[in-house]
Amino acid sequence: MKLALIGCGNVGKALIDLLAMKKDYLIARKISLTLCCVLDSKGGIYDDSGIDWGSLSKHLERQSLGTHKQYAAGGEEIHRIIQNMNIDTAVVATPTNKQTGEPGLTYIKALLKRGINVVTADKGPILLAYHALYQMALAHNAKLCIGCTTGGALPSVNAGLIDLAGADIYKIQGILNGTTNFILDEMEKHSISYEKALEKAQHLGIAETDPSLDVEGWDTAVKLLILTNVLMGSHKTLEDISVQGITGLTVADIIEARKKGEKFKLIGSAVKEDNAIRMRVGLEAIDNSNAFYRVDGKDKAVTYCSDTLGELTIIGGASGVIPAAASLLRDIINL
């Protein structure tokens, strides 16, 4: 399989590192992958015979892609590669824009129309246009793999599509954001304020300098929306979700819940009743009868309830850029 990587940010670089790390694994399993091009927003490198993963990984440890000896500048490079058609699969690791889906949306459409498989980490296009992209993939005999968009290492999409195939999913619930779960866990364990727990998460690199997307519940809402549209066949938007984050939680709230044997978790839920789907993201106080009670630290979880296969809960999954890259590699290998 000939691969192109579009987007050389943290996840893109981690995928290159991972390919180098997993060389022996791939050889032992006779999985043939050739990385033919790596592109960023200003140009890229291309070699039809294959780019050496190890040497590129070492180069990117010290320098940017733009300083590579094979780098060719030019904003149209991505479109030239797409037109070239000498790749089987493209990994799209462009930054997420939940308002427009760009630039990833344009790239994915162009790739699928050329019959090129797409494995993506970019939530924006899937959030805004999943059904149209899925139909485009079918029409052009290509595959669209989105396992990295909703939980990274947690196989939330794949489990719903593959392991619950044939079942009607009527409820989805999930702890879908590891940052907020870590903050809540710190508040619970040490009886500290939200502000103190956030400060620790930022110091450890778990939370961003601007953590608003995570702590205000929007990252959870985006992932919930993707799962709902993909697995329940709906056409919902973010406006259909009631969203509340964790910023208003106090130490007093934590202590009061503890007296009742409860913990707070940020949970996204989509429930189908009478042919309508209700969606919300918010704090819930749960006791130890709930499977999510023991989902601590940066762990995530998802529960599916279905008509014929019952209830399925998946818990865990590593966090970070290498696990995110590993979820891309998982989709590539499954292809």
Side-chain angles (χ1 to χ4, degrees):
M1 179 185 286
K2 289 190 170 185
L3 300 175
L5 171 60
I6 301 175
C8 197
N10 290 337
V11 174
K13 290 177 183 176
L15 179 61
I16 294 167
D17 293 340
L18 187 64
L19 288 170
M21 289 166 52
K22 291 291 183 178
K23 182 179 179 181
D24 291 342
Y25 174 97
L26 297 169
I27 290 172
R29 287 157 181 80
K30 298 182 180 179
I31 299 169
S32 177
L33 300 178
T34 303
L35 183 63
C36 295
C37 61
V38 179
L39 309 171
D40 61 18
S41 59
K42 297 178 181 178
I45 60 176
Y46 181 85
D47 188 336
D48 189 59
S49 63
I51 299 165
D52 184 83
W53 307 330
S55 62
L56 181 57
S57 174
K58 289 177 181 177
H59 175 87
L60 293 174
E61 284 179 11
R62 307 180 302 275
Q63 301 177 62
S64 68
L65 183 68
T67 63
H68 194 277
K69 62 183 180 181
Q70 291 177 267
Y71 189 84
E76 295 301 310
E77 188 73 6
I78 290 175
H79 297 287
R80 186 183 73 78
I81 295 299
I82 292 171
Q83 293 298 319
N84 184 281
M85 274 291 289
N86 202 24
I87 53 172
D88 305 300
T89 299
V91 178
V92 179
T94 43
T96 292
N97 184 318
K98 61 185 178 69
Q99 281 75 41
T100 67
E102 297 298 348
L105 182 57
T106 294
Y107 298 152
I108 291 173
K109 286 180 177 178
L111 289 158
L112 293 176
K113 285 178 180 177
R114 303 290 289 184
I116 299 171
N117 302 318
V118 171
V119 174
T120 186
D122 188 343
K123 299 178 183 68
I126 308 307
L127 176 72
L128 298 174
Y130 169 73
H131 293 291
L133 294 174
Y134 176 73
Q135 291 301 322
M136 195 176 293
L138 285 179
H140 296 279
N141 198 30
K143 300 294 185 183
L144 175 63
C145 301
I146 62 171
C148 187
T149 62
T150 56
L154 185 77
S156 50
V157 171
N158 293 352
L161 286 173
I162 298 168
D163 297 310
L164 286 165
D168 182 18
I169 297 173
Y170 60 84
K171 181 163 71 173
I172 299 171
Q173 288 187 305
I175 295 174
L176 301 172
N177 182 271
T179 298
T180 52
N181 203 52
F182 176 86
I183 291 170
L184 292 173
D185 196 33
E186 287 296 304
M187 292 178 71
E188 165 71 27
K189 286 178 178 176
H190 306 294
S191 297
I192 58 175
S193 68
Y194 159 76
E195 290 79 11
K196 288 288 186 185
L198 171 60
E199 185 179 331
K200 181 173 181 180
Q202 289 172 323
H203 176 73
L204 294 173
I206 295 168
E208 301 286 345
T209 304
D210 177 5
S212 55
L213 282 176
D214 294 325
V215 300
E216 292 174 7
W218 289 106
D219 180 70
T220 297
V222 166
K223 293 170 182 174
L224 177 68
L225 183 61
I226 291 172
L227 291 174
T228 303
N229 284 343
V230 172
L231 301 178
M232 288 183 165
S234 62
H235 292 78
K236 298 292 186 179
T237 68
L238 284 174
E239 287 71 31
D240 296 313
I241 309 177
S242 170
V243 182
Q244 180 186 39
I246 67 170
T247 57
L249 189 66
T250 67
V251 175
D253 296 330
I254 294 282
I255 292 172
E256 187 62 28
R258 189 183 296 144
K259 290 177 182 176
K260 301 175 185 177
E262 297 174 337
K263 292 180 183 179
F264 283 100
K265 296 292 182 183
L266 185 69
I267 295 175
S269 63
V271 181
K272 185 189 294 183
E273 292 179 333
D274 300 322
N275 294 319
I277 298 175
R278 292 182 292 102
M279 304 174 70
R280 72 177 296 273
V281 172
L283 282 168
E284 294 186 26
I286 60 174
D287 62 26
N288 63 8
S289 67
N290 190 307
F292 292 167
Y293 186 83
R294 294 171 184 82
V295 181
D296 295 325
K298 295 182 291 182
D299 279 351
K300 296 178 284 289
V302 66
T303 291
Y304 297 122
C305 296
S306 71
D307 60 343
T308 55
L309 290 171
E311 184 174 310
L312 172 68
T313 297
I314 308 163
I315 295 173
S319 296
V321 291
I322 286 292
S327 70
L328 292 172
L329 182 59
R330 175 175 63 200
D331 276 350
I332 293 167
I333 290 172
N334 284 335
L335 265 177

PDB file of all heavy atoms in Angstrom, residues 10 24 34 39 49 78 80-81 85 109 112-113 128 153 199 201 208 278 314:
ATOM      1  N   ASN A  10       1.763  17.673  15.097  1.00  0.00           N
ATOM      2  CA  ASN A  10       2.177  16.724  16.134  1.00  0.00           C
ATOM      3  C   ASN A  10       1.744  15.292  15.830  1.00  0.00           C
ATOM      4  O   ASN A  10       2.530  14.344  15.985  1.00  0.00           O
ATOM      5  CB  ASN A  10       1.613  17.163  17.493  1.00  0.00           C
ATOM      6  CG  ASN A  10       2.283  18.415  18.022  1.00  0.00           C
ATOM      7  OD1 ASN A  10       3.413  18.735  17.637  1.00  0.00           O
ATOM      8  ND2 ASN A  10       1.599  19.145  18.878  1.00  0.00           N
ATOM      9  N   ASP A  24       9.641  -3.605  12.340  1.00  0.00           N
ATOM     10  CA  ASP A  24       9.746  -5.053  12.499  1.00  0.00           C
ATOM     11  C   ASP A  24       8.369  -5.709  12.625  1.00  0.00           C
ATOM     12  O   ASP A  24       8.144  -6.820  12.114  1.00  0.00           O
ATOM     13  CB  ASP A  24      10.601  -5.393  13.722  1.00  0.00           C
ATOM     14  CG  ASP A  24      12.068  -5.034  13.513  1.00  0.00           C
ATOM     15  OD1 ASP A  24      12.477  -4.853  12.350  1.00  0.00           O
ATOM     16  OD2 ASP A  24      12.798  -4.912  14.514  1.00  0.00           O
ATOM     17  N   THR A  34       4.335   1.736   2.044  1.00  0.00           N
ATOM     18  CA  THR A  34       5.352   2.619   1.482  1.00  0.00           C
ATOM     19  C   THR A  34       4.860   4.052   1.601  1.00  0.00           C
ATOM     20  O   THR A  34       3.815   4.412   1.044  1.00  0.00           O
ATOM     21  CB  THR A  34       5.610   2.302  -0.006  1.00  0.00           C
ATOM     22  OG1 THR A  34       5.996   0.928  -0.131  1.00  0.00           O
ATOM     23  CG2 THR A  34       6.709   3.188  -0.559  1.00  0.00           C
ATOM     24  N   LEU A  39       3.220  15.976   3.284  1.00  0.00           N
ATOM     25  CA  LEU A  39       2.909  17.334   2.871  1.00  0.00           C
ATOM     26  C   LEU A  39       2.484  18.187   4.050  1.00  0.00           C
ATOM     27  O   LEU A  39       1.789  17.712   4.951  1.00  0.00           O
ATOM     28  CB  LEU A  39       1.781  17.311   1.837  1.00  0.00           C
ATOM     29  CG  LEU A  39       1.959  16.374   0.641  1.00  0.00           C
ATOM     30  CD1 LEU A  39       0.679  16.307  -0.162  1.00  0.00           C
ATOM     31  CD2 LEU A  39       3.113  16.834  -0.232  1.00  0.00           C
ATOM     32  N   SER A  49       9.367   5.815  -4.829  1.00  0.00           N
ATOM     33  CA  SER A  49       9.964   4.552  -4.380  1.00  0.00           C
ATOM     34  C   SER A  49       9.907   4.397  -2.859  1.00  0.00           C
ATOM     35  O   SER A  49      10.204   3.320  -2.338  1.00  0.00           O
ATOM     36  CB  SER A  49      11.422   4.463  -4.853  1.00  0.00           C
ATOM     37  OG  SER A  49      12.195   5.498  -4.276  1.00  0.00           O
ATOM     38  N   ILE A  78      -0.266  19.618  -2.754  1.00  0.00           N
ATOM     39  CA  ILE A  78      -1.238  18.617  -2.321  1.00  0.00           C
ATOM     40  C   ILE A  78      -2.141  18.223  -3.483  1.00  0.00           C
ATOM     41  O   ILE A  78      -2.394  17.039  -3.726  1.00  0.00           O
ATOM     42  CB  ILE A  78      -2.058  19.149  -1.131  1.00  0.00           C
ATOM     43  CG1 ILE A  78      -1.163  19.247   0.118  1.00  0.00           C
ATOM     44  CG2 ILE A  78      -3.247  18.244  -0.846  1.00  0.00           C
ATOM     45  CD1 ILE A  78      -1.825  19.876   1.311  1.00  0.00           C
ATOM     46  N   ARG A  80      -1.504  18.468  -6.646  1.00  0.00           N
ATOM     47  CA  ARG A  80      -0.715  17.752  -7.650  1.00  0.00           C
ATOM     48  C   ARG A  80      -0.593  16.278  -7.271  1.00  0.00           C
ATOM     49  O   ARG A  80      -0.735  15.390  -8.117  1.00  0.00           O
ATOM     50  CB  ARG A  80       0.679  18.372  -7.782  1.00  0.00           C
ATOM     51  CG  ARG A  80       1.501  17.751  -8.921  1.00  0.00           C
ATOM     52  CD  ARG A  80       2.892  18.340  -8.970  1.00  0.00           C
ATOM     53  NE  ARG A  80       3.732  17.873  -7.885  1.00  0.00           N
ATOM     54  CZ  ARG A  80       4.314  16.668  -7.868  1.00  0.00           C
ATOM     55  NH1 ARG A  80       4.140  15.825  -8.867  1.00  0.00           N
ATOM     56  NH2 ARG A  80       5.076  16.310  -6.855  1.00  0.00           N
ATOM     57  N   ILE A  81      -0.329  16.019  -5.988  1.00  0.00           N
ATOM     58  CA  ILE A  81      -0.204  14.634  -5.522  1.00  0.00           C
ATOM     59  C   ILE A  81      -1.526  13.895  -5.693  1.00  0.00           C
ATOM     60  O   ILE A  81      -1.566  12.734  -6.126  1.00  0.00           O
ATOM     61  CB  ILE A  81       0.250  14.612  -4.048  1.00  0.00           C
ATOM     62  CG1 ILE A  81       1.663  15.181  -3.903  1.00  0.00           C
ATOM     63  CG2 ILE A  81       0.176  13.202  -3.478  1.00  0.00           C
ATOM     64  CD1 ILE A  81       2.719  14.413  -4.653  1.00  0.00           C
ATOM     65  N   MET A  85      -2.370  10.313  -8.519  1.00  0.00           N
ATOM     66  CA  MET A  85      -3.038   9.018  -8.391  1.00  0.00           C
ATOM     67  C   MET A  85      -2.087   7.863  -8.094  1.00  0.00           C
ATOM     68  O   MET A  85      -2.473   6.711  -8.192  1.00  0.00           O
ATOM     69  CB  MET A  85      -3.818   8.688  -9.661  1.00  0.00           C
ATOM     70  CG  MET A  85      -5.227   9.259  -9.703  1.00  0.00           C
ATOM     71  SD  MET A  85      -6.335   8.475  -8.531  1.00  0.00           S
ATOM     72  CE  MET A  85      -6.534   6.871  -9.288  1.00  0.00           C
ATOM     73  N   LYS A 109     -12.516  15.278   0.016  1.00  0.00           N
ATOM     74  CA  LYS A 109     -13.401  15.166  -1.157  1.00  0.00           C
ATOM     75  C   LYS A 109     -12.603  14.851  -2.423  1.00  0.00           C
ATOM     76  O   LYS A 109     -12.984  13.966  -3.204  1.00  0.00           O
ATOM     77  CB  LYS A 109     -14.177  16.472  -1.352  1.00  0.00           C
ATOM     78  CG  LYS A 109     -15.301  16.703  -0.363  1.00  0.00           C
ATOM     79  CD  LYS A 109     -15.986  18.031  -0.652  1.00  0.00           C
ATOM     80  CE  LYS A 109     -17.155  18.269   0.275  1.00  0.00           C
ATOM     81  NZ  LYS A 109     -17.790  19.596   0.013  1.00  0.00           N
ATOM     82  N   LEU A 112     -11.247  11.159  -2.281  1.00  0.00           N
ATOM     83  CA  LEU A 112     -12.281  10.142  -2.484  1.00  0.00           C
ATOM     84  C   LEU A 112     -12.767  10.118  -3.926  1.00  0.00           C
ATOM     85  O   LEU A 112     -13.033   9.048  -4.487  1.00  0.00           O
ATOM     86  CB  LEU A 112     -13.451  10.387  -1.525  1.00  0.00           C
ATOM     87  CG  LEU A 112     -13.158  10.186  -0.033  1.00  0.00           C
ATOM     88  CD1 LEU A 112     -14.377  10.556   0.796  1.00  0.00           C
ATOM     89  CD2 LEU A 112     -12.715   8.759   0.277  1.00  0.00           C
ATOM     90  N   LYS A 113     -12.889  11.289  -4.538  1.00  0.00           N
ATOM     91  CA  LYS A 113     -13.333  11.344  -5.939  1.00  0.00           C
ATOM     92  C   LYS A 113     -12.343  10.664  -6.877  1.00  0.00           C
ATOM     93  O   LYS A 113     -12.714  10.230  -7.968  1.00  0.00           O
ATOM     94  CB  LYS A 113     -13.544  12.801  -6.359  1.00  0.00           C
ATOM     95  CG  LYS A 113     -14.811  13.421  -5.793  1.00  0.00           C
ATOM     96  CD  LYS A 113     -14.942  14.878  -6.203  1.00  0.00           C
ATOM     97  CE  LYS A 113     -16.207  15.491  -5.625  1.00  0.00           C
ATOM     98  NZ  LYS A 113     -16.322  16.939  -5.964  1.00  0.00           N
ATOM     99  N   LEU A 128     -19.019  17.730  10.050  1.00  0.00           N
ATOM    100  CA  LEU A 128     -19.894  18.538   9.202  1.00  0.00           C
ATOM    101  C   LEU A 128     -20.477  17.786   8.005  1.00  0.00           C
ATOM    102  O   LEU A 128     -21.542  18.158   7.513  1.00  0.00           O
ATOM    103  CB  LEU A 128     -19.117  19.761   8.695  1.00  0.00           C
ATOM    104  CG  LEU A 128     -18.621  20.728   9.767  1.00  0.00           C
ATOM    105  CD1 LEU A 128     -17.745  21.792   9.134  1.00  0.00           C
ATOM    106  CD2 LEU A 128     -19.793  21.373  10.503  1.00  0.00           C
ATOM    107  N   ALA A 153      -7.096   6.271  20.854  1.00  0.00           N
ATOM    108  CA  ALA A 153      -6.831   4.854  21.104  1.00  0.00           C
ATOM    109  C   ALA A 153      -8.081   4.080  21.510  1.00  0.00           C
ATOM    110  O   ALA A 153      -8.152   2.866  21.310  1.00  0.00           O
ATOM    111  CB  ALA A 153      -5.755   4.713  22.185  1.00  0.00           C
ATOM    112  N   GLU A 199      -4.506  23.674  36.802  1.00  0.00           N
ATOM    113  CA  GLU A 199      -3.100  24.095  36.815  1.00  0.00           C
ATOM    114  C   GLU A 199      -2.173  22.890  36.755  1.00  0.00           C
ATOM    115  O   GLU A 199      -1.162  22.896  36.026  1.00  0.00           O
ATOM    116  CB  GLU A 199      -2.828  24.928  38.073  1.00  0.00           C
ATOM    117  CG  GLU A 199      -1.440  25.524  38.159  1.00  0.00           C
ATOM    118  CD  GLU A 199      -1.244  26.348  39.418  1.00  0.00           C
ATOM    119  OE1 GLU A 199      -2.223  26.906  39.927  1.00  0.00           O
ATOM    120  OE2 GLU A 199      -0.088  26.403  39.898  1.00  0.00           O
ATOM    121  N   ALA A 201      -2.921  19.896  35.527  1.00  0.00           N
ATOM    122  CA  ALA A 201      -3.068  19.290  34.201  1.00  0.00           C
ATOM    123  C   ALA A 201      -2.263  20.058  33.163  1.00  0.00           C
ATOM    124  O   ALA A 201      -1.635  19.458  32.283  1.00  0.00           O
ATOM    125  CB  ALA A 201      -4.543  19.246  33.816  1.00  0.00           C
ATOM    126  N   GLU A 208      -4.357  22.060  27.559  1.00  0.00           N
ATOM    127  CA  GLU A 208      -3.787  23.130  26.751  1.00  0.00           C
ATOM    128  C   GLU A 208      -3.718  24.416  27.558  1.00  0.00           C
ATOM    129  O   GLU A 208      -4.388  24.574  28.581  1.00  0.00           O
ATOM    130  CB  GLU A 208      -4.652  23.370  25.507  1.00  0.00           C
ATOM    131  CG  GLU A 208      -4.823  22.169  24.606  1.00  0.00           C
ATOM    132  CD  GLU A 208      -3.567  21.865  23.800  1.00  0.00           C
ATOM    133  OE1 GLU A 208      -2.679  22.732  23.736  1.00  0.00           O
ATOM    134  OE2 GLU A 208      -3.486  20.755  23.237  1.00  0.00           O
ATOM    135  N   ARG A 278     -32.283  12.589  21.731  1.00  0.00           N
ATOM    136  CA  ARG A 278     -31.947  13.666  22.668  1.00  0.00           C
ATOM    137  C   ARG A 278     -30.459  13.569  22.996  1.00  0.00           C
ATOM    138  O   ARG A 278     -29.961  12.483  23.329  1.00  0.00           O
ATOM    139  CB  ARG A 278     -32.764  13.564  23.948  1.00  0.00           C
ATOM    140  CG  ARG A 278     -34.251  13.826  23.775  1.00  0.00           C
ATOM    141  CD  ARG A 278     -34.999  13.748  25.091  1.00  0.00           C
ATOM    142  NE  ARG A 278     -35.026  12.379  25.632  1.00  0.00           N
ATOM    143  CZ  ARG A 278     -34.241  11.955  26.606  1.00  0.00           C
ATOM    144  NH1 ARG A 278     -33.335  12.748  27.153  1.00  0.00           N
ATOM    145  NH2 ARG A 278     -34.340  10.702  27.040  1.00  0.00           N
ATOM    146  N   ILE A 314     -16.683  -0.055  26.630  1.00  0.00           N
ATOM    147  CA  ILE A 314     -15.244  -0.103  26.358  1.00  0.00           C
ATOM    148  C   ILE A 314     -14.587   0.979  27.207  1.00  0.00           C
ATOM    149  O   ILE A 314     -15.013   2.142  27.188  1.00  0.00           O
ATOM    150  CB  ILE A 314     -14.944   0.156  24.876  1.00  0.00           C
ATOM    151  CG1 ILE A 314     -15.773  -0.765  23.995  1.00  0.00           C
ATOM    152  CG2 ILE A 314     -13.463  -0.018  24.575  1.00  0.00           C
ATOM    153  CD1 ILE A 314     -15.850  -0.324  22.563  1.00  0.00           C
TER     154      ILE A 314
END
